[in-house]
PDB file of all heavy atoms in Angstrom:
ATOM      1  N   VAL A  10      11.541  15.379   8.724  1.00  0.00           N
ATOM      2  CA  VAL A  10      12.971  15.314   8.435  1.00  0.00           C
ATOM      3  C   VAL A  10      13.253  16.146   7.191  1.00  0.00           C
ATOM      4  O   VAL A  10      12.496  16.132   6.231  1.00  0.00           O
ATOM      5  CB  VAL A  10      13.437  13.858   8.213  1.00  0.00           C
ATOM      6  CG1 VAL A  10      13.315  13.049   9.476  1.00  0.00           C
ATOM      7  CG2 VAL A  10      12.667  13.192   7.084  1.00  0.00           C
ATOM      8  N   GLY A  11      14.371  16.881   7.205  1.00  0.00           N
ATOM      9  CA  GLY A  11      14.725  17.678   6.040  1.00  0.00           C
ATOM     10  C   GLY A  11      13.594  18.600   5.633  1.00  0.00           C
ATOM     11  O   GLY A  11      13.101  19.410   6.426  1.00  0.00           O
ATOM     12  N   GLN A  12      13.128  18.473   4.387  1.00  0.00           N
ATOM     13  CA  GLN A  12      12.032  19.288   3.881  1.00  0.00           C
ATOM     14  C   GLN A  12      10.663  18.675   4.173  1.00  0.00           C
ATOM     15  O   GLN A  12       9.641  19.254   3.813  1.00  0.00           O
ATOM     16  CB  GLN A  12      12.201  19.478   2.370  1.00  0.00           C
ATOM     17  CG  GLN A  12      13.462  20.228   1.991  1.00  0.00           C
ATOM     18  CD  GLN A  12      13.748  20.186   0.494  1.00  0.00           C
ATOM     19  OE1 GLN A  12      13.086  19.483  -0.267  1.00  0.00           O
ATOM     20  NE2 GLN A  12      14.751  20.943   0.064  1.00  0.00           N
ATOM     21  N   GLY A  13      10.652  17.520   4.819  1.00  0.00           N
ATOM     22  CA  GLY A  13       9.402  16.817   5.066  1.00  0.00           C
ATOM     23  C   GLY A  13       8.759  17.202   6.378  1.00  0.00           C
ATOM     24  O   GLY A  13       9.358  17.840   7.236  1.00  0.00           O
ATOM     25  N   GLY A  14       7.510  16.784   6.539  1.00  0.00           N
ATOM     26  CA  GLY A  14       6.766  17.043   7.763  1.00  0.00           C
ATOM     27  C   GLY A  14       5.289  17.168   7.458  1.00  0.00           C
ATOM     28  O   GLY A  14       4.776  16.591   6.497  1.00  0.00           O
ATOM     29  N   LEU A  15       4.590  17.935   8.288  1.00  0.00           N
ATOM     30  CA  LEU A  15       3.183  18.245   8.041  1.00  0.00           C
ATOM     31  C   LEU A  15       3.148  19.446   7.105  1.00  0.00           C
ATOM     32  O   LEU A  15       3.654  20.520   7.446  1.00  0.00           O
ATOM     33  CB  LEU A  15       2.474  18.548   9.360  1.00  0.00           C
ATOM     34  CG  LEU A  15       0.978  18.857   9.278  1.00  0.00           C
ATOM     35  CD1 LEU A  15       0.199  17.725   8.629  1.00  0.00           C
ATOM     36  CD2 LEU A  15       0.428  19.145  10.678  1.00  0.00           C
ATOM     37  N   LEU A  16       2.532  19.294   5.945  1.00  0.00           N
ATOM     38  CA  LEU A  16       2.691  20.283   4.883  1.00  0.00           C
ATOM     39  C   LEU A  16       1.353  20.948   4.541  1.00  0.00           C
ATOM     40  O   LEU A  16       0.814  21.671   5.357  1.00  0.00           O
ATOM     41  CB  LEU A  16       3.392  19.622   3.689  1.00  0.00           C
ATOM     42  CG  LEU A  16       4.744  18.968   4.056  1.00  0.00           C
ATOM     43  CD1 LEU A  16       5.356  18.251   2.866  1.00  0.00           C
ATOM     44  CD2 LEU A  16       5.721  19.961   4.641  1.00  0.00           C
ATOM     45  N   ASP A  17       0.767  20.712   3.403  1.00  0.00           N
ATOM     46  CA  ASP A  17      -0.385  21.515   2.978  1.00  0.00           C
ATOM     47  C   ASP A  17      -1.682  21.103   3.671  1.00  0.00           C
ATOM     48  O   ASP A  17      -1.832  19.961   4.133  1.00  0.00           O
ATOM     49  CB  ASP A  17      -0.565  21.407   1.468  1.00  0.00           C
ATOM     50  CG  ASP A  17      -1.309  22.603   0.879  1.00  0.00           C
ATOM     51  OD1 ASP A  17      -1.432  23.637   1.564  1.00  0.00           O
ATOM     52  OD2 ASP A  17      -1.760  22.509  -0.277  1.00  0.00           O
ATOM     53  N   VAL A  18      -2.627  22.038   3.700  1.00  0.00           N
ATOM     54  CA  VAL A  18      -3.976  21.782   4.204  1.00  0.00           C
ATOM     55  C   VAL A  18      -4.958  22.642   3.419  1.00  0.00           C
ATOM     56  O   VAL A  18      -4.672  23.811   3.125  1.00  0.00           O
ATOM     57  CB  VAL A  18      -4.093  22.057   5.714  1.00  0.00           C
ATOM     58  CG1 VAL A  18      -3.818  23.532   6.054  1.00  0.00           C
ATOM     59  CG2 VAL A  18      -5.457  21.651   6.253  1.00  0.00           C
ATOM     60  N   VAL A  19      -6.098  22.057   3.032  1.00  0.00           N
ATOM     61  CA  VAL A  19      -7.169  22.799   2.363  1.00  0.00           C
ATOM     62  C   VAL A  19      -8.503  22.358   2.933  1.00  0.00           C
ATOM     63  O   VAL A  19      -8.644  21.242   3.465  1.00  0.00           O
ATOM     64  CB  VAL A  19      -7.167  22.591   0.824  1.00  0.00           C
ATOM     65  CG1 VAL A  19      -5.870  23.083   0.204  1.00  0.00           C
ATOM     66  CG2 VAL A  19      -7.416  21.137   0.471  1.00  0.00           C
ATOM     67  N   LEU A  20      -9.493  23.227   2.809  1.00  0.00           N
ATOM     68  CA  LEU A  20     -10.853  22.900   3.226  1.00  0.00           C
ATOM     69  C   LEU A  20     -11.622  22.307   2.054  1.00  0.00           C
ATOM     70  O   LEU A  20     -11.421  22.695   0.901  1.00  0.00           O
ATOM     71  CB  LEU A  20     -11.594  24.152   3.713  1.00  0.00           C
ATOM     72  CG  LEU A  20     -10.948  25.014   4.790  1.00  0.00           C
ATOM     73  CD1 LEU A  20     -11.935  26.103   5.214  1.00  0.00           C
ATOM     74  CD2 LEU A  20     -10.486  24.201   5.973  1.00  0.00           C
ATOM     75  N   ASP A  21     -12.522  21.386   2.344  1.00  0.00           N
ATOM     76  CA  ASP A  21     -13.458  20.915   1.332  1.00  0.00           C
ATOM     77  C   ASP A  21     -14.335  22.087   0.883  1.00  0.00           C
ATOM     78  O   ASP A  21     -14.651  22.993   1.667  1.00  0.00           O
ATOM     79  CB  ASP A  21     -14.325  19.798   1.923  1.00  0.00           C
ATOM     80  CG  ASP A  21     -15.211  19.129   0.896  1.00  0.00           C
ATOM     81  OD1 ASP A  21     -16.333  19.628   0.669  1.00  0.00           O
ATOM     82  OD2 ASP A  21     -14.797  18.119   0.329  1.00  0.00           O
ATOM     83  N   SER A  22     -14.741  22.082  -0.381  1.00  0.00           N
ATOM     84  CA  SER A  22     -15.582  23.160  -0.896  1.00  0.00           C
ATOM     85  C   SER A  22     -16.923  23.250  -0.167  1.00  0.00           C
ATOM     86  O   SER A  22     -17.578  24.298  -0.195  1.00  0.00           O
ATOM     87  CB  SER A  22     -15.822  22.969  -2.395  1.00  0.00           C
ATOM     88  OG  SER A  22     -16.393  21.695  -2.646  1.00  0.00           O
ATOM     89  N   ARG A  23     -17.332  22.171   0.500  1.00  0.00           N
ATOM     90  CA  ARG A  23     -18.578  22.161   1.277  1.00  0.00           C
ATOM     91  C   ARG A  23     -18.273  22.095   2.771  1.00  0.00           C
ATOM     92  O   ARG A  23     -19.044  21.554   3.556  1.00  0.00           O
ATOM     93  CB  ARG A  23     -19.449  20.980   0.845  1.00  0.00           C
ATOM     94  CG  ARG A  23     -19.851  21.021  -0.633  1.00  0.00           C
ATOM     95  CD  ARG A  23     -20.770  19.875  -1.023  1.00  0.00           C
ATOM     96  NE  ARG A  23     -22.076  20.003  -0.369  1.00  0.00           N
ATOM     97  CZ  ARG A  23     -22.513  19.207   0.610  1.00  0.00           C
ATOM     98  NH1 ARG A  23     -21.740  18.236   1.077  1.00  0.00           N
ATOM     99  NH2 ARG A  23     -23.693  19.390   1.132  1.00  0.00           N
ATOM    100  N   PHE A  24     -17.167  22.697   3.165  1.00  0.00           N
ATOM    101  CA  PHE A  24     -16.742  22.635   4.568  1.00  0.00           C
ATOM    102  C   PHE A  24     -17.819  23.130   5.525  1.00  0.00           C
ATOM    103  O   PHE A  24     -17.993  22.582   6.620  1.00  0.00           O
ATOM    104  CB  PHE A  24     -15.453  23.435   4.766  1.00  0.00           C
ATOM    105  CG  PHE A  24     -14.975  23.476   6.195  1.00  0.00           C
ATOM    106  CD1 PHE A  24     -14.170  22.462   6.691  1.00  0.00           C
ATOM    107  CD2 PHE A  24     -15.345  24.512   7.051  1.00  0.00           C
ATOM    108  CE1 PHE A  24     -13.745  22.478   8.007  1.00  0.00           C
ATOM    109  CE2 PHE A  24     -14.919  24.539   8.367  1.00  0.00           C
ATOM    110  CZ  PHE A  24     -14.105  23.520   8.847  1.00  0.00           C
ATOM    111  N   ALA A  25     -18.538  24.168   5.133  1.00  0.00           N
ATOM    112  CA  ALA A  25     -19.575  24.723   6.022  1.00  0.00           C
ATOM    113  C   ALA A  25     -20.618  23.680   6.390  1.00  0.00           C
ATOM    114  O   ALA A  25     -21.249  23.774   7.464  1.00  0.00           O
ATOM    115  CB  ALA A  25     -20.239  25.918   5.357  1.00  0.00           C
ATOM    116  N   ASN A  26     -20.783  22.666   5.529  1.00  0.00           N
ATOM    117  CA  ASN A  26     -21.766  21.616   5.803  1.00  0.00           C
ATOM    118  C   ASN A  26     -21.142  20.342   6.363  1.00  0.00           C
ATOM    119  O   ASN A  26     -21.744  19.663   7.191  1.00  0.00           O
ATOM    120  CB  ASN A  26     -22.520  21.262   4.511  1.00  0.00           C
ATOM    121  CG  ASN A  26     -23.310  22.427   3.963  1.00  0.00           C
ATOM    122  OD1 ASN A  26     -23.955  23.151   4.707  1.00  0.00           O
ATOM    123  ND2 ASN A  26     -23.249  22.616   2.656  1.00  0.00           N
ATOM    124  N   ASN A  27     -19.907  20.009   5.902  1.00  0.00           N
ATOM    125  CA  ASN A  27     -19.347  18.710   6.298  1.00  0.00           C
ATOM    126  C   ASN A  27     -18.098  18.783   7.179  1.00  0.00           C
ATOM    127  O   ASN A  27     -17.611  17.752   7.636  1.00  0.00           O
ATOM    128  CB  ASN A  27     -19.060  17.865   5.058  1.00  0.00           C
ATOM    129  CG  ASN A  27     -18.027  18.503   4.126  1.00  0.00           C
ATOM    130  OD1 ASN A  27     -17.248  19.369   4.514  1.00  0.00           O
ATOM    131  ND2 ASN A  27     -18.024  18.061   2.873  1.00  0.00           N
ATOM    132  N   ARG A  28     -17.525  19.966   7.365  1.00  0.00           N
ATOM    133  CA  ARG A  28     -16.346  20.189   8.200  1.00  0.00           C
ATOM    134  C   ARG A  28     -15.145  19.331   7.761  1.00  0.00           C
ATOM    135  O   ARG A  28     -14.249  19.035   8.540  1.00  0.00           O
ATOM    136  CB  ARG A  28     -16.648  19.962   9.687  1.00  0.00           C
ATOM    137  CG  ARG A  28     -17.809  20.806  10.230  1.00  0.00           C
ATOM    138  CD  ARG A  28     -17.837  20.838  11.741  1.00  0.00           C
ATOM    139  NE  ARG A  28     -16.649  21.468  12.296  1.00  0.00           N
ATOM    140  CZ  ARG A  28     -16.450  22.780  12.384  1.00  0.00           C
ATOM    141  NH1 ARG A  28     -17.367  23.635  11.924  1.00  0.00           N
ATOM    142  NH2 ARG A  28     -15.338  23.258  12.914  1.00  0.00           N
ATOM    143  N   GLN A  29     -15.117  18.971   6.485  1.00  0.00           N
ATOM    144  CA  GLN A  29     -14.075  18.104   5.954  1.00  0.00           C
ATOM    145  C   GLN A  29     -12.850  18.914   5.549  1.00  0.00           C
ATOM    146  O   GLN A  29     -12.967  19.990   4.966  1.00  0.00           O
ATOM    147  CB  GLN A  29     -14.607  17.366   4.725  1.00  0.00           C
ATOM    148  CG  GLN A  29     -13.739  16.231   4.236  1.00  0.00           C
ATOM    149  CD  GLN A  29     -13.987  14.956   5.007  1.00  0.00           C
ATOM    150  OE1 GLN A  29     -15.101  14.668   5.402  1.00  0.00           O
ATOM    151  NE2 GLN A  29     -12.939  14.201   5.232  1.00  0.00           N
ATOM    152  N   ILE A  30     -11.663  18.398   5.862  1.00  0.00           N
ATOM    153  CA  ILE A  30     -10.409  18.997   5.408  1.00  0.00           C
ATOM    154  C   ILE A  30      -9.556  17.911   4.753  1.00  0.00           C
ATOM    155  O   ILE A  30      -9.782  16.710   4.948  1.00  0.00           O
ATOM    156  CB  ILE A  30      -9.608  19.669   6.546  1.00  0.00           C
ATOM    157  CG1 ILE A  30      -9.061  18.608   7.518  1.00  0.00           C
ATOM    158  CG2 ILE A  30     -10.455  20.704   7.270  1.00  0.00           C
ATOM    159  CD1 ILE A  30      -8.019  19.161   8.487  1.00  0.00           C
ATOM    160  N   TYR A  31      -8.555  18.350   3.978  1.00  0.00           N
ATOM    161  CA  TYR A  31      -7.583  17.458   3.363  1.00  0.00           C
ATOM    162  C   TYR A  31      -6.198  18.014   3.669  1.00  0.00           C
ATOM    163  O   TYR A  31      -5.980  19.224   3.633  1.00  0.00           O
ATOM    164  CB  TYR A  31      -7.795  17.375   1.847  1.00  0.00           C
ATOM    165  CG  TYR A  31      -9.216  17.008   1.495  1.00  0.00           C
ATOM    166  CD1 TYR A  31     -10.162  18.008   1.233  1.00  0.00           C
ATOM    167  CD2 TYR A  31      -9.632  15.682   1.488  1.00  0.00           C
ATOM    168  CE1 TYR A  31     -11.480  17.679   0.953  1.00  0.00           C
ATOM    169  CE2 TYR A  31     -10.948  15.345   1.207  1.00  0.00           C
ATOM    170  CZ  TYR A  31     -11.871  16.349   0.938  1.00  0.00           C
ATOM    171  OH  TYR A  31     -13.173  16.022   0.686  1.00  0.00           O
ATOM    172  N   PHE A  32      -5.279  17.137   4.001  1.00  0.00           N
ATOM    173  CA  PHE A  32      -3.925  17.585   4.294  1.00  0.00           C
ATOM    174  C   PHE A  32      -2.933  16.532   3.819  1.00  0.00           C
ATOM    175  O   PHE A  32      -3.255  15.349   3.679  1.00  0.00           O
ATOM    176  CB  PHE A  32      -3.734  17.903   5.778  1.00  0.00           C
ATOM    177  CG  PHE A  32      -3.978  16.748   6.718  1.00  0.00           C
ATOM    178  CD1 PHE A  32      -2.931  15.958   7.190  1.00  0.00           C
ATOM    179  CD2 PHE A  32      -5.262  16.461   7.155  1.00  0.00           C
ATOM    180  CE1 PHE A  32      -3.166  14.908   8.055  1.00  0.00           C
ATOM    181  CE2 PHE A  32      -5.507  15.413   8.028  1.00  0.00           C
ATOM    182  CZ  PHE A  32      -4.454  14.626   8.487  1.00  0.00           C
ATOM    183  N   CYS A  33      -1.713  16.965   3.525  1.00  0.00           N
ATOM    184  CA  CYS A  33      -0.673  16.033   3.104  1.00  0.00           C
ATOM    185  C   CYS A  33       0.532  16.172   4.019  1.00  0.00           C
ATOM    186  O   CYS A  33       0.781  17.224   4.607  1.00  0.00           O
ATOM    187  CB  CYS A  33      -0.309  16.211   1.636  1.00  0.00           C
ATOM    188  SG  CYS A  33       0.074  17.880   1.108  1.00  0.00           S
ATOM    189  N   PHE A  34       1.283  15.085   4.120  1.00  0.00           N
ATOM    190  CA  PHE A  34       2.367  15.024   5.089  1.00  0.00           C
ATOM    191  C   PHE A  34       3.362  13.948   4.690  1.00  0.00           C
ATOM    192  O   PHE A  34       3.075  13.105   3.821  1.00  0.00           O
ATOM    193  CB  PHE A  34       1.816  14.757   6.491  1.00  0.00           C
ATOM    194  CG  PHE A  34       1.152  13.411   6.664  1.00  0.00           C
ATOM    195  CD1 PHE A  34       1.817  12.350   7.259  1.00  0.00           C
ATOM    196  CD2 PHE A  34      -0.153  13.206   6.221  1.00  0.00           C
ATOM    197  CE1 PHE A  34       1.199  11.111   7.408  1.00  0.00           C
ATOM    198  CE2 PHE A  34      -0.777  11.979   6.374  1.00  0.00           C
ATOM    199  CZ  PHE A  34      -0.099  10.923   6.967  1.00  0.00           C
ATOM    200  N   THR A  35       4.529  13.984   5.313  1.00  0.00           N
ATOM    201  CA  THR A  35       5.542  12.968   5.090  1.00  0.00           C
ATOM    202  C   THR A  35       5.270  11.799   6.028  1.00  0.00           C
ATOM    203  O   THR A  35       5.247  11.967   7.248  1.00  0.00           O
ATOM    204  CB  THR A  35       6.948  13.533   5.342  1.00  0.00           C
ATOM    205  OG1 THR A  35       7.127  14.708   4.554  1.00  0.00           O
ATOM    206  CG2 THR A  35       8.019  12.521   4.993  1.00  0.00           C
ATOM    207  N   GLU A  36       5.073  10.641   5.425  1.00  0.00           N
ATOM    208  CA  GLU A  36       4.712   9.439   6.174  1.00  0.00           C
ATOM    209  C   GLU A  36       5.912   8.496   6.239  1.00  0.00           C
ATOM    210  O   GLU A  36       6.535   8.184   5.227  1.00  0.00           O
ATOM    211  CB  GLU A  36       3.538   8.750   5.492  1.00  0.00           C
ATOM    212  CG  GLU A  36       3.038   7.515   6.217  1.00  0.00           C
ATOM    213  CD  GLU A  36       1.901   6.849   5.460  1.00  0.00           C
ATOM    214  OE1 GLU A  36       2.095   6.537   4.261  1.00  0.00           O
ATOM    215  OE2 GLU A  36       0.831   6.640   6.055  1.00  0.00           O
ATOM    216  N   LYS A  37       6.199   8.007   7.422  1.00  0.00           N
ATOM    217  CA  LYS A  37       7.305   7.074   7.638  1.00  0.00           C
ATOM    218  C   LYS A  37       6.943   5.701   7.099  1.00  0.00           C
ATOM    219  O   LYS A  37       5.831   5.225   7.267  1.00  0.00           O
ATOM    220  CB  LYS A  37       7.610   7.001   9.125  1.00  0.00           C
ATOM    221  CG  LYS A  37       8.868   6.232   9.489  1.00  0.00           C
ATOM    222  CD  LYS A  37       9.135   6.346  10.979  1.00  0.00           C
ATOM    223  CE  LYS A  37      10.435   5.662  11.367  1.00  0.00           C
ATOM    224  NZ  LYS A  37      10.697   5.811  12.828  1.00  0.00           N
ATOM    225  N   GLY A  38       7.905   5.052   6.457  1.00  0.00           N
ATOM    226  CA  GLY A  38       7.674   3.716   5.930  1.00  0.00           C
ATOM    227  C   GLY A  38       7.728   2.648   7.012  1.00  0.00           C
ATOM    228  O   GLY A  38       8.400   2.801   8.043  1.00  0.00           O
ATOM    229  N   GLU A  39       7.031   1.573   6.768  1.00  0.00           N
ATOM    230  CA  GLU A  39       7.019   0.438   7.680  1.00  0.00           C
ATOM    231  C   GLU A  39       7.304  -0.839   6.911  1.00  0.00           C
ATOM    232  O   GLU A  39       7.207  -0.884   5.679  1.00  0.00           O
ATOM    233  CB  GLU A  39       5.655   0.329   8.376  1.00  0.00           C
ATOM    234  CG  GLU A  39       5.302   1.535   9.228  1.00  0.00           C
ATOM    235  CD  GLU A  39       3.924   1.412   9.867  1.00  0.00           C
ATOM    236  OE1 GLU A  39       3.196   0.458   9.495  1.00  0.00           O
ATOM    237  OE2 GLU A  39       3.592   2.243  10.726  1.00  0.00           O
ATOM    238  N   GLY A  40       7.643  -1.897   7.626  1.00  0.00           N
ATOM    239  CA  GLY A  40       7.878  -3.182   6.986  1.00  0.00           C
ATOM    240  C   GLY A  40       8.998  -3.106   5.972  1.00  0.00           C
ATOM    241  O   GLY A  40      10.118  -2.687   6.275  1.00  0.00           O
ATOM    242  N   ALA A  41       8.689  -3.485   4.731  1.00  0.00           N
ATOM    243  CA  ALA A  41       9.699  -3.459   3.673  1.00  0.00           C
ATOM    244  C   ALA A  41      10.176  -2.043   3.365  1.00  0.00           C
ATOM    245  O   ALA A  41      11.245  -1.874   2.778  1.00  0.00           O
ATOM    246  CB  ALA A  41       9.129  -4.104   2.410  1.00  0.00           C
ATOM    247  N   ASP A  42       9.388  -1.035   3.758  1.00  0.00           N
ATOM    248  CA  ASP A  42       9.758   0.367   3.518  1.00  0.00           C
ATOM    249  C   ASP A  42      10.408   1.019   4.737  1.00  0.00           C
ATOM    250  O   ASP A  42      10.535   2.245   4.789  1.00  0.00           O
ATOM    251  CB  ASP A  42       8.519   1.171   3.121  1.00  0.00           C
ATOM    252  CG  ASP A  42       8.078   0.875   1.705  1.00  0.00           C
ATOM    253  OD1 ASP A  42       8.932   0.562   0.863  1.00  0.00           O
ATOM    254  OD2 ASP A  42       6.856   0.949   1.438  1.00  0.00           O
ATOM    255  N   ARG A  43      10.792   0.220   5.703  1.00  0.00           N
ATOM    256  CA  ARG A  43      11.436   0.761   6.894  1.00  0.00           C
ATOM    257  C   ARG A  43      12.678   1.559   6.489  1.00  0.00           C
ATOM    258  O   ARG A  43      13.483   1.121   5.660  1.00  0.00           O
ATOM    259  CB  ARG A  43      11.830  -0.374   7.835  1.00  0.00           C
ATOM    260  CG  ARG A  43      12.399   0.096   9.177  1.00  0.00           C
ATOM    261  CD  ARG A  43      12.701  -1.098  10.066  1.00  0.00           C
ATOM    262  NE  ARG A  43      13.266  -0.691  11.330  1.00  0.00           N
ATOM    263  CZ  ARG A  43      12.564  -0.320  12.387  1.00  0.00           C
ATOM    264  NH1 ARG A  43      11.235  -0.309  12.321  1.00  0.00           N
ATOM    265  NH2 ARG A  43      13.147   0.031  13.510  1.00  0.00           N
ATOM    266  N   GLY A  44      12.843   2.738   7.050  1.00  0.00           N
ATOM    267  CA  GLY A  44      13.952   3.614   6.702  1.00  0.00           C
ATOM    268  C   GLY A  44      13.658   4.524   5.522  1.00  0.00           C
ATOM    269  O   GLY A  44      14.505   5.339   5.145  1.00  0.00           O
ATOM    270  N   LYS A  45      12.464   4.403   4.950  1.00  0.00           N
ATOM    271  CA  LYS A  45      12.055   5.240   3.831  1.00  0.00           C
ATOM    272  C   LYS A  45      10.861   6.097   4.238  1.00  0.00           C
ATOM    273  O   LYS A  45      10.286   5.926   5.313  1.00  0.00           O
ATOM    274  CB  LYS A  45      11.692   4.366   2.630  1.00  0.00           C
ATOM    275  CG  LYS A  45      12.820   3.461   2.151  1.00  0.00           C
ATOM    276  CD  LYS A  45      12.360   2.584   0.998  1.00  0.00           C
ATOM    277  CE  LYS A  45      13.473   1.662   0.538  1.00  0.00           C
ATOM    278  NZ  LYS A  45      13.040   0.800  -0.591  1.00  0.00           N
ATOM    279  N   ASN A  46      10.478   7.024   3.372  1.00  0.00           N
ATOM    280  CA  ASN A  46       9.299   7.845   3.646  1.00  0.00           C
ATOM    281  C   ASN A  46       8.702   8.323   2.329  1.00  0.00           C
ATOM    282  O   ASN A  46       9.289   8.136   1.258  1.00  0.00           O
ATOM    283  CB  ASN A  46       9.628   9.017   4.582  1.00  0.00           C
ATOM    284  CG  ASN A  46      10.748   9.897   4.051  1.00  0.00           C
ATOM    285  OD1 ASN A  46      10.815  10.198   2.862  1.00  0.00           O
ATOM    286  ND2 ASN A  46      11.643  10.323   4.928  1.00  0.00           N
ATOM    287  N   GLY A  47       7.543   8.937   2.418  1.00  0.00           N
ATOM    288  CA  GLY A  47       6.892   9.436   1.212  1.00  0.00           C
ATOM    289  C   GLY A  47       5.725  10.337   1.555  1.00  0.00           C
ATOM    290  O   GLY A  47       5.286  10.425   2.712  1.00  0.00           O
ATOM    291  N   THR A  48       5.209  11.027   0.559  1.00  0.00           N
ATOM    292  CA  THR A  48       4.095  11.941   0.744  1.00  0.00           C
ATOM    293  C   THR A  48       2.779  11.174   0.789  1.00  0.00           C
ATOM    294  O   THR A  48       2.544  10.280  -0.019  1.00  0.00           O
ATOM    295  CB  THR A  48       4.059  12.963  -0.405  1.00  0.00           C
ATOM    296  OG1 THR A  48       5.301  13.671  -0.430  1.00  0.00           O
ATOM    297  CG2 THR A  48       2.921  13.960  -0.224  1.00  0.00           C
ATOM    298  N   ALA A  49       1.941  11.532   1.743  1.00  0.00           N
ATOM    299  CA  ALA A  49       0.623  10.914   1.887  1.00  0.00           C
ATOM    300  C   ALA A  49      -0.440  12.002   1.952  1.00  0.00           C
ATOM    301  O   ALA A  49      -0.182  13.120   2.408  1.00  0.00           O
ATOM    302  CB  ALA A  49       0.569  10.054   3.148  1.00  0.00           C
ATOM    303  N   LEU A  50      -1.640  11.668   1.474  1.00  0.00           N
ATOM    304  CA  LEU A  50      -2.792  12.573   1.489  1.00  0.00           C
ATOM    305  C   LEU A  50      -3.853  11.996   2.420  1.00  0.00           C
ATOM    306  O   LEU A  50      -4.202  10.816   2.300  1.00  0.00           O
ATOM    307  CB  LEU A  50      -3.360  12.725   0.079  1.00  0.00           C
ATOM    308  CG  LEU A  50      -4.676  13.497  -0.082  1.00  0.00           C
ATOM    309  CD1 LEU A  50      -4.508  14.957   0.297  1.00  0.00           C
ATOM    310  CD2 LEU A  50      -5.189  13.370  -1.523  1.00  0.00           C
ATOM    311  N   ALA A  51      -4.350  12.818   3.326  1.00  0.00           N
ATOM    312  CA  ALA A  51      -5.353  12.362   4.293  1.00  0.00           C
ATOM    313  C   ALA A  51      -6.557  13.277   4.275  1.00  0.00           C
ATOM    314  O   ALA A  51      -6.477  14.451   3.892  1.00  0.00           O
ATOM    315  CB  ALA A  51      -4.757  12.316   5.698  1.00  0.00           C
ATOM    316  N   ARG A  52      -7.689  12.723   4.691  1.00  0.00           N
ATOM    317  CA  ARG A  52      -8.889  13.531   4.925  1.00  0.00           C
ATOM    318  C   ARG A  52      -9.293  13.356   6.376  1.00  0.00           C
ATOM    319  O   ARG A  52      -8.967  12.350   7.027  1.00  0.00           O
ATOM    320  CB  ARG A  52     -10.018  13.120   3.988  1.00  0.00           C
ATOM    321  CG  ARG A  52     -10.575  11.743   4.245  1.00  0.00           C
ATOM    322  CD  ARG A  52     -11.692  11.405   3.269  1.00  0.00           C
ATOM    323  NE  ARG A  52     -12.289  10.112   3.576  1.00  0.00           N
ATOM    324  CZ  ARG A  52     -13.188   9.506   2.797  1.00  0.00           C
ATOM    325  NH1 ARG A  52     -13.600  10.092   1.681  1.00  0.00           N
ATOM    326  NH2 ARG A  52     -13.677   8.340   3.137  1.00  0.00           N
ATOM    327  N   ALA A  53      -9.991  14.340   6.898  1.00  0.00           N
ATOM    328  CA  ALA A  53     -10.428  14.298   8.290  1.00  0.00           C
ATOM    329  C   ALA A  53     -11.560  15.297   8.468  1.00  0.00           C
ATOM    330  O   ALA A  53     -11.828  16.139   7.595  1.00  0.00           O
ATOM    331  CB  ALA A  53      -9.272  14.629   9.231  1.00  0.00           C
ATOM    332  N   ARG A  54     -12.209  15.212   9.601  1.00  0.00           N
ATOM    333  CA  ARG A  54     -13.254  16.164   9.966  1.00  0.00           C
ATOM    334  C   ARG A  54     -12.762  16.980  11.151  1.00  0.00           C
ATOM    335  O   ARG A  54     -12.308  16.416  12.156  1.00  0.00           O
ATOM    336  CB  ARG A  54     -14.539  15.413  10.336  1.00  0.00           C
ATOM    337  CG  ARG A  54     -15.775  16.305  10.436  1.00  0.00           C
ATOM    338  CD  ARG A  54     -16.995  15.481  10.846  1.00  0.00           C
ATOM    339  NE  ARG A  54     -17.178  14.299  10.012  1.00  0.00           N
ATOM    340  CZ  ARG A  54     -17.783  14.302   8.830  1.00  0.00           C
ATOM    341  NH1 ARG A  54     -18.245  15.443   8.332  1.00  0.00           N
ATOM    342  NH2 ARG A  54     -17.914  13.178   8.153  1.00  0.00           N
TER     343      ARG A  54
END
């Protein structure tokens, strides 16, 4: 929404060995945060 969405992505410095990446994105709120959102940082392989 707006300026939010799937945003940055970087490789781990040891990606050649671990295939790890990090990315940040706009995450929808749940429960008490319903109707809100915020930036979240995730890791994955």
Side-chain angles (χ1 to χ4, degrees):
V10 294
Q12 297 169 352
L15 182 57
L16 305 176
D17 204 15
V18 62
V19 299
L20 307 186
D21 187 273
S22 56
R23 299 183 67 251
F24 177 86
N26 297 318
N27 62 20
R28 304 195 63 80
Q29 192 83 36
I30 69 168
Y31 307 94
F32 60 96
C33 51
F34 65 100
T35 306
E36 182 182 55
K37 189 174 184 179
E39 298 178 351
D42 286 329
R43 185 177 179 85
K45 302 177 181 180
N46 56 41
T48 302
L50 173 65
R52 68 180 184 188
R54 193 182 309 277

